Amino acid sequence: MSISNVYFNFWRRISMPLLVVTLVVCYFTLPDNAAVHHDEKGNPDGFIDKQTFFYVACGVVIGFNFLLNLLKTQIQKVDFAKLNPSSIWAKNRESLNALLEGWFNAFIAVVNTFIIFSLVALKRINATDGQKLDVNYNWLLLAGLVLLMFLIFFLPFKILYTNPEKTEQ
């Protein structure tokens, strides 16, 4: 297992408890009606009930993590050598499984981290007087989008343009 796989596996495992702690902190610190949308002047014009937000956010987080981990498990069971017998990666199952596991761990860790930053931003917005949008958080959306796009295209490019590492016997 490579260093990056170990790192992303560690971060995936640590991001979930951090996400749960962030959700609980947001639940206790958000006002009863949290501002989730603002007009062009920064004044809140869309609100959500604190309990509704908490339960929907928990459901999304648990569902997303469960489904992606389930998908990771099922993809690792696929015999790619039968799907594409001429593929170098398919012939080297250990390297392919390590790559897939690392990619899924990285994807889950990045999405969980993005959700943590979004929750912290929401908490910060709702902690100000009048729940005004005093900081532009568009950079957070763009950074998350760029990171996800990089991650999505990384796996196909890695498989198409590189060969698996040689295993020592």
Side-chain angles (χ1 to χ4, degrees), residues 44-115:
D45 62 356
F47 297 90
I48 189 170
D49 182 52
K50 178 168 66 170
Q51 286 83 12
T52 304
F53 169 76
F54 178 74
Y55 291 122
V56 168
C58 285
V60 167
V61 166
I62 291 169
F64 172 78
N65 280 277
F66 173 75
L67 289 176
L68 268 179
N69 280 309
L70 183 66
L71 181 63
K72 177 177 76 170
T73 304
Q74 295 306 313
I75 284 183
Q76 287 182 331
K77 291 178 182 178
V78 172
D79 186 8
F80 290 100
K82 289 181 181 177
L83 293 174
N84 187 3
S86 63
S87 171
I88 297 171
W89 280 95
K91 292 175 184 172
N92 193 339
R93 187 165 181 92
E94 295 83 23
S95 294
L96 181 60
N97 279 346
L99 176 66
L100 289 172
E101 183 176 352
W103 184 84
F104 271 103
N105 288 340
F107 191 80
I108 293 168
V110 165
V111 171
N112 284 345
T113 304
F114 178 75
I115 294 171

Side-chain angles (χ1 to χ4, degrees), residues 126-168:
N126 283 284
T128 61
D129 289 335
Q131 297 171 315
K132 286 188 164 268
L133 183 62
D134 56 351
V135 176
N136 187 349
Y137 288 101
N138 288 342
W139 65 269
L140 181 63
L141 294 174
L142 290 175
L145 178 68
V146 167
L147 197 54
L148 282 176
M149 292 302 290
F150 171 77
L151 210 56
I152 287 170
F153 287 109
F154 173 79
L155 185 64
F157 281 126
K158 175 89 173 171
I159 290 174
L160 285 173
Y161 296 112
T162 65
N163 292 328
E165 296 176 6
K166 303 283 186 207
T167 57
E168 297 179 19

Side-chain angles (χ1 to χ4, degrees), residues 12-73:
R12 179 188 60 87
R13 289 176 187 262
I14 206 79
S15 67
M16 190 62 180
L18 282 174
L19 187 54
V20 169
V21 167
T22 306
L23 268 171
V24 170
V25 167
C26 282
Y27 179 76
F28 286 114
T29 59
L30 284 176
D32 289 334
N33 286 315
V36 292
H37 190 268
H38 295 79
D39 63 14
E40 61 275 351
K41 294 180 182 176
N43 297 319
D45 62 356
F47 297 90
I48 189 170
D49 182 52
K50 178 168 66 170
Q51 286 83 12
T52 304
F53 169 76
F54 178 74
Y55 291 122
V56 168
C58 285
V60 167
V61 166
I62 291 169
F64 172 78
N65 280 277
F66 173 75
L67 289 176
L68 268 179
N69 280 309
L70 183 66
L71 181 63
K72 177 177 76 170
T73 304

